[in-house]
Amino acid sequence: MRNTILHAKLKEHFGFEKFRPHQLEIINTLLDGQDALAIMPTGGGKSICFQLPALVVEGITIVISPLIALMKDQVDSLKANGIQACFINSSQTESEQQIHLQDLKDHKIKLVYLAPESLSYLDSAFSQLTVSLIAIDEAHCISAWGHDFRPAYTNLGYLKNRFPSTPMIALTATADKATRKDISDQLNLINPRVFVASFDRKNLSLEVRPALDRVKQIIEFVKTKPKESGIIYCLSRKTTEELAEKLQKKGINAKAYHAGLDSRIRSKTQDDFINDDCQIVCATIAFGMGIDKSNVRWVIHYNLPKNIEGYYQEIGRAGRDGLPSETILFESYGDMIQLQKFASEGLNAEVQLAKLERMKQYADALSCRRKILLSYFGELVTENCGNCDICKNPPAFFDGTILAQKALSAIIRLKETEPMPVIIDFLRGSKNAYIYEKGYQNLKSYTIGEGTSWYDWNQYLIQLINLGYCEIAFHDQNKIRLTSLAKNVLFRGEKVELSSVQKIEYNTKANIESTKGKTSTALFEQLRLLRYDIAKEEEVPAYIIFSDASLRQMEKKRPMSEEELIAIEGVGKAKLEKYGHAFIKAIIEYQKNKPRKVKKEGNTYKETLSLYQSGMSVAEIVLKRGLGHSTVISHLAKLYTDGNAIDFSALLSEDELHKIKIAQLSLEATGALKPYYDYFEEEMAYDKIRIGLAILEREIKI
């Protein structure tokens, strides 16, 4: 019985027909009063694990979220799904906070979002509230072993002491075993059930490129995606600003975001990105946590990330709607040196250095990248993914023994005292000042590698380091030194296999041509613009109205009735009532000049008409036909606009119709019902508004 109710709530409020892996099990764990720790990838549906049980339990659900700037969007998204929620944080006035507190006491709110710093403010109010569930989002922030430690989170352990019998769930997208245990210990969770969902985001393509002319590469890449949102992560604040400026000069709508900017600028940039007014954000890792924007189509790492956990969470911000999305990571020797320095000087240096090394191994890998990522999180797979650069373009190997011997000999000649750039200059016979100042031009191996390009030597040396023949002395000016394995190549005839260096080729025109017709159609663009207009009217992000995935399904299935529209993934009852009329109207308008086969729909509409004209009420038709109430109203509204004789006097008075007509003159509406609902201060039902608009639409036709 409980599962039936949960499935009904899932469709009604979130628009989904079935649960994703682990969701139902997690929800039932919480409803059974047990604590839980959920490790689920970004876009894996973590929020539903606490939002849905909040609807079926008495009392309120407290959600701890790290970023107050994003709470409004999370609450707006819940409200769009017909769920009463609020947030309380330092951005509000005291009177606003008091209103929310009173709503909580009056049982008008089911979920309240709080920053960890705001808990003390609510502590006295807790005694007057029934707290039925506590959710700690982005729970990795509590662990010093994690990748985004936040001191304010360390105070959250008191919640379990304050509410010992209240189930608590901690959620995060990435956490290794040590971090998971630390989260559980810090939060005082009681024998929590641990759920680790699959980390396999099949819709994300994975690619690593050498950081050669990366600005040029990024510009060429972005030009092929003129209407797609993306994030570019940079290591330093300065780089975010410089890169954003370079993109702007090329006519690309990009902005910088980092913690050093004025808070108003950061908020404006974040809002513009969320609301589709800014295409690209060049950001440090300060940007992105908690952002629910589902239509980010690509993520680029301008620099090598510090660890796989952070990298995986950041690329996870692309393709949250499940549609194909791209990720690119640029790797450079200089990044590794800088990150090595940062890690060695920070907290838990040994752990952070080890995690950095794993990150580098991933970037340098010559085998399926997804297998490496999944194995890091303890998920072992045997099949290659087919959606990473290695799988798509497997490296070709050749006998690189001679090249290896040349490189290792050069390192010996230079007495293992020089970094990689000098070694390459020496191999190629460069005549620069440093070489001559040191007298290296007089050494035996000088010019021994002059037939190979600087770029290729750089890649071959990196491979030799990865193979273990030489290493970087990070604590000694990044000098390249030989390992014991080098003797096998130099003196014992050991063969070395190297992979051919793949060059990045630019062909912007071809790329742009190849993407035409694939990313959008006329209908998709119309629906996207309709979504944008409605979002502007309601002052919420466009993805809160409907995700790209929902629009793609509408584009494919062309729903022209509420019965068909509610079958679309992501369309629940609340969104059907608010936005269904506008989107159905847009699709009908698009299709009006095209023949459409009418099968079952023609009969189902006629049956509704016949029953209503025989004197049955809407409620009786609902029971007899097993349809939803709003579906029957939709049938009647469409039948009326198509010219059928229907008496609506029992459903809508002349006075109410007059009020709707006045509202129509006052509103510059897009066809959505929500502006009318707000206009009437929620005192006129959606059904009446829909019928009234149908009557007015037919009057215009006549």
Side-chain angles (χ1 to χ4, degrees):
M1 181 63 180
R2 181 202 281 176
N3 286 354
T4 302
I5 294 171
L6 293 174
H7 275 92
K9 293 285 185 185
L10 180 71
K11 180 57 185 175
E12 178 183 351
H13 291 284
F14 301 98
F16 300 118
E17 297 288 347
K18 58 185 179 180
F19 287 99
R20 295 184 186 180
H22 296 297
Q23 283 181 332
L24 183 58
E25 199 175 354
I26 292 170
I27 290 168
N28 277 319
T29 296
L30 297 174
L31 293 178
D32 288 338
Q34 189 174 353
D35 292 345
L37 172 60
I39 317 298
M40 302 173 74
T42 303
K46 291 190 295 295
S47 297
I48 284 176
C49 293
F50 57 84
Q51 290 173 350
L52 198 153
L55 300 177
V56 298
V57 296
E58 295 294 327
I60 64 167
T61 292
I62 295 174
V63 184
I64 307 299
S65 182
L67 298 177
I68 63 174
L70 300 171
M71 290 183 188
K72 180 181 183 299
D73 295 329
Q74 292 163 335
V75 169
D76 283 343
S77 182
L78 285 166
K79 289 180 177 178
N81 286 322
I83 300 169
Q84 291 306 307
C86 72
F87 62 88
I88 298 176
N89 60 42
S90 58
S91 69
Q92 298 163 319
T93 64
E94 187 174 347
S95 61
E96 287 175 322
Q97 293 174 346
Q98 287 300 318
I99 290 171
H100 292 317
L101 277 175
Q102 192 58 50
D103 285 344
L104 286 166
K105 293 173 185 176
D106 293 342
H107 309 295
K108 294 180 179 178
I109 300 294
K110 293 300 296 180
L111 292 102
V112 55
Y113 280 73
L114 304 170
E117 295 84 355
S118 303
L119 277 172
S120 57
Y121 173 79
L122 271 183
D123 192 68
S124 60
F126 283 153
S127 58
Q128 303 174 57
L129 302 173
T130 301
V131 178
S132 301
L133 176 62
I134 299 171
I136 311 296
D137 204 7
E138 309 291 355
H140 60 272
C141 292
I142 200 171
S143 175
W145 300 103
H147 59 280
D148 195 17
F149 174 67
R150 301 204 175 192
Y153 260 60
T154 57
N155 299 321
L156 298 181
Y158 101 98
L159 280 170
K160 196 62 188 176
N161 300 329
R162 182 79 163 76
F163 302 99
S165 60
T166 299
M168 179 183 287
I169 180 171
L171 309 103
T172 179
T174 51
D176 57 18
K177 289 182 179 178
T179 306
R180 293 172 205 169
K181 184 178 185 307
D182 200 28
I183 290 171
S184 180
D185 292 344
Q186 295 274 358
L187 291 174
N188 297 320
L189 299 183
I190 302 171
N191 298 320
R193 286 194 65 187
V194 179
F195 299 88
V196 182
S198 172
F199 286 85
D200 191 1
R201 294 281 306 280
K202 290 183 172 65
N203 63 314
L204 298 184
S205 68
L206 305 170
E207 181 180 0
V208 178
R209 299 183 185 180
L212 184 70
D213 290 335
R214 53 188 148 184
V215 174
K216 182 180 179 182
Q217 290 191 56
I218 289 170
I219 291 170
E220 301 296 344
F221 175 83
V222 171
K223 282 181 179 178
T224 68
K225 305 173 187 308
K227 294 179 181 178
E228 295 183 1
S229 297
I231 304 172
I232 305 174
Y233 285 107
C234 306
L235 190 58
S236 71
R237 298 175 179 183
K238 182 180 179 183
T239 305
T240 66
E241 295 182 10
E242 291 176 346
L243 180 59
E245 186 177 350
K246 289 172 183 175
L247 295 177
Q248 289 164 8
K249 286 180 179 177
K250 293 293 182 178
I252 297 169
N253 184 3
K255 291 185 177 182
Y257 182 104
H258 60 72
L261 292 171
D262 182 85
S263 60
R264 289 170 296 181
I265 295 175
R266 291 202 309 272
S267 295
K268 179 69 164 58
T269 298
Q270 184 168 277
D271 289 345
D272 286 349
F273 182 68
I274 288 173
N275 294 317
D276 290 347
D277 292 322
C278 171
Q279 181 192 1
I280 298 168
V281 172
C282 305
T284 58
I285 59 171
F287 181 81
M289 183 186 293
I291 286 183
D292 291 328
K293 184 176 171 68
S294 61
N295 61 338
V296 176
R297 293 271 70 88
W298 52 265
V299 168
I300 291 174
H301 280 83
Y302 189 86
N303 306 99
L304 187 75
K306 291 185 278 191
N307 51 60
I308 287 179
E309 291 100 327
Y311 167 70
Y312 189 82
Q313 189 163 50
E314 287 149 19
I315 63 172
R317 286 160 192 155
R320 291 171 62 99
D321 53 13
L323 295 181
S325 302
E326 298 174 71
T327 74
I328 298 173
L329 185 160
F330 288 103
E331 183 195 14
S332 79
Y333 173 74
D335 289 346
M336 187 62 187
I337 292 171
Q338 189 173 0
L339 288 168
Q340 179 85 16
K341 183 174 183 294
F342 289 161
S344 62
E345 295 173 351
L347 295 172
N348 301 320
E350 186 177 345
V351 174
Q352 300 311 323
L353 285 168
K355 290 190 173 189
L356 175 60
E357 183 59 32
R358 289 290 298 275
M359 185 70 241
K360 185 176 186 300
Q361 289 167 0
Y362 166 82
D364 293 335
L366 298 174
S367 59
C368 174
R369 297 196 192 279
R370 198 175 310 273
K371 287 169 71 173
I372 298 170
L373 278 181
L374 295 178
S375 67
Y376 182 86
F377 293 109
E379 189 175 342
L380 304 179
V381 294
T382 56
E383 297 294 323
N384 290 336
C385 74
N387 197 23
C388 72
D389 53 342
I390 302 297
C391 288
K392 292 176 180 177
N393 298 291
F397 291 92
F398 66 95
D399 185 350
T401 306
I402 300 300
L403 285 169
Q405 289 172 340
K406 288 179 179 181
L408 300 176
S409 296
I411 294 169
I412 290 176
R413 297 296 177 189
L414 297 174
K415 299 181 180 179
E416 301 178 82
T417 60
E418 296 294 351
M420 192 183 297
V422 176
I423 294 168
I424 297 173
D425 284 346
F426 176 76
L427 282 164
R428 299 189 69 250
S430 298
K431 297 177 174 59
N432 59 45
Y434 185 82
I435 293 288
Y436 276 79
E437 180 185 322
K438 290 285 189 175
Y440 290 158
Q441 76 277 12
N442 300 316
L443 299 179
K444 185 176 180 181
S445 297
Y446 181 64
T447 74
I448 196 173
E450 60 184 350
T452 303
S453 72
W454 204 101
Y455 175 79
D456 286 1
W457 268 124
N458 180 69
Q459 297 303 303
Y460 293 143
L461 274 164
I462 288 173
Q463 289 184 49
L464 291 172
I465 292 170
N466 293 337
L467 290 168
Y469 295 115
C470 48
E471 61 188 7
I472 303 171
F474 290 106
H475 298 292
D476 189 13
Q477 300 176 312
N478 306 301
K479 297 171 183 176
I480 304 297
R481 294 175 178 164
L482 301 184
T483 69
S484 58
L485 295 179
K487 294 178 182 178
N488 297 334
V489 178
L490 290 171
F491 309 119
R492 296 170 189 159
E494 182 174 308
K495 299 293 183 182
V496 177
E497 275 201 335
L498 298 175
S499 67
S500 301
V501 177
Q502 297 185 3
K503 300 293 192 300
I504 302 295
E505 296 183 1
Y506 304 104
N507 191 352
T508 307
K509 185 175 180 180
N511 287 338
I512 292 175
E513 289 299 320
S514 69
T515 59
K516 284 182 178 179
K518 292 184 180 179
T519 58
S520 64
T521 65
L523 177 57
F524 179 81
E525 279 304 304
Q526 285 185 26
L527 297 177
R528 191 178 69 82
L529 291 172
L530 172 60
R531 178 182 67 178
Y532 179 83
D533 290 341
I534 294 174
K536 286 299 175 189
E537 285 179 6
E538 299 195 6
E539 298 182 344
V540 297
Y543 62 83
I544 284 179
I545 309 301
F546 287 122
S547 68
D548 276 11
S550 294
L551 296 191
R552 288 293 183 194
Q553 278 200 26
M554 293 180 203
E555 169 195 37
K556 181 180 179 180
K557 297 183 177 180
R558 311 285 168 94
M560 295 192 214
S561 69
E562 291 196 351
E563 199 172 28
E564 291 178 341
L565 185 60
I566 203 165
I568 300 291
E569 282 282 294
V571 182
K573 181 181 177 183
K575 288 188 176 181
L576 181 72
E577 289 183 340
K578 293 177 187 176
Y579 315 122
H581 178 75
F583 281 85
I584 290 170
K585 186 176 179 181
I587 293 167
I588 290 173
E589 184 68 24
Y590 181 81
Q591 288 286 95
K592 68 179 182 181
N593 295 323
K594 297 181 180 180
R596 182 172 184 264
K597 293 179 181 179
V598 180
K599 297 179 182 177
K600 187 177 178 182
E601 180 188 286
N603 294 329
T604 192
Y605 274 68
K606 288 177 183 176
E607 188 176 346
T608 297
L609 178 62
S610 175
L611 293 173
Y612 189 77
Q613 289 178 334
S614 72
M616 289 183 70
S617 68
V618 171
E620 289 169 334
I621 296 172
V622 167
L623 287 173
K624 182 172 180 61
R625 300 209 54 207
L627 299 175
H629 180 87
S630 58
T631 300
V632 173
I633 294 294
S634 173
H635 283 187
L636 295 174
K638 186 175 186 301
L639 287 162
Y640 186 83
T641 56
D642 287 346
N644 292 281
I646 299 176
D647 180 8
F648 283 129
S649 59
L651 300 175
L652 185 74
S653 69
E654 286 294 329
D655 182 56
E656 287 169 330
L657 178 61
H658 181 67
K659 288 178 180 177
I660 294 171
K661 184 178 288 187
I662 293 172
Q664 190 178 56
L665 295 173
S666 303
L667 294 171
E668 294 181 4
T670 59
L673 303 181
K674 181 68 161 53
Y676 291 89
Y677 189 65
D678 292 340
Y679 177 89
F680 293 118
E681 298 181 348
E682 304 182 3
E683 291 183 358
M684 185 177 292
Y686 278 108
D687 291 349
K688 292 180 180 290
I689 297 169
R690 181 179 285 106
I691 291 168
L693 291 176
I695 293 171
L696 295 176
E697 185 176 342
R698 181 163 159 181
E699 285 181 0
I700 293 171
K701 288 181 180 179
I702 295 172

